[in-house]
Amino acid sequence: MKLFSYSSCSTCRRAIKWLKNNDIAFDLIDILKAPPSKEMLISASELYGDRKYLLNTSGGIYRSLGSDVVKKMTNNEFFEKLYIEPRLIKRPFLYKSSKCLIVGFKEEKWAEKLL
């Protein structure tokens, strides 16, 4: 299981603590140095039913782009942008398989999927 995280993200730190407290093994990956692959991002989008759930909408990069620009992107442009600008990806990004991906951290959802 891979956990894509950003060291200064408090939500990521809470997720890491939760995984450790529940004795769940994971590989911690710095999302800025090694972002999720485009295939992982596409799988997450398909699983969630909409690519908007992958976005870190509270981040400065998203705000500087603007929602209108993001909405007008083709899927190819969208996933390429997330890959080259991983701060746009909602964190943490947990990848277990193409059918088990979790974006963001909500303890109850993580418990349901991982315990």
Side-chain angles (χ1 to χ4, degrees):
M1 187 161 40
K2 298 177 182 184
L3 181 68
F4 295 88
S5 176
Y6 182 50
S7 61
S8 64
C9 170
S10 61
T11 305
C12 294
R13 288 192 300 269
R14 284 195 335 268
I16 291 166
K17 183 178 178 182
W18 185 89
L19 288 168
K20 288 179 178 179
N21 287 344
N22 286 286
D23 295 319
I24 298 172
F26 63 97
D27 295 322
L28 183 61
I29 300 166
D30 184 329
I31 199 166
L32 300 182
K33 293 179 182 171
S37 68
K38 287 184 210 171
E39 291 78 15
M40 287 180 192
L41 294 168
I42 291 167
S43 292
S45 175
E46 290 170 353
L47 200 60
Y48 278 84
D50 195 326
R51 65 188 199 180
K52 70 181 181 182
Y53 295 110
L54 303 182
L55 291 167
N56 174 16
T57 57
S58 62
I61 294 173
Y62 177 81
R63 287 192 308 266
S64 69
L65 276 174
S67 64
D68 288 339
V69 170
V70 174
K71 286 177 187 173
K72 290 177 184 174
M73 289 179 178
T74 65
N75 278 341
N76 192 44
E77 292 169 333
F78 179 82
F79 293 113
E80 180 68 21
K81 188 69 169 173
L82 288 182
Y83 183 75
I84 62 171
E85 193 53 76
R87 283 188 174 100
L88 281 170
I89 302 169
K90 186 171 186 167
R91 303 175 298 265
F93 185 98
L94 182 77
Y95 179 85
K96 188 172 181 183
S97 72
S98 63
K99 299 295 179 202
C100 184
L101 294 118
I102 308 173
V103 180
F105 178 69
K106 294 208 187 282
E107 189 172 330
E108 54 283 346
K109 183 169 183 109
W110 283 46
E112 175 186 312
K113 295 274 188 186
L114 301 173
L115 296 180

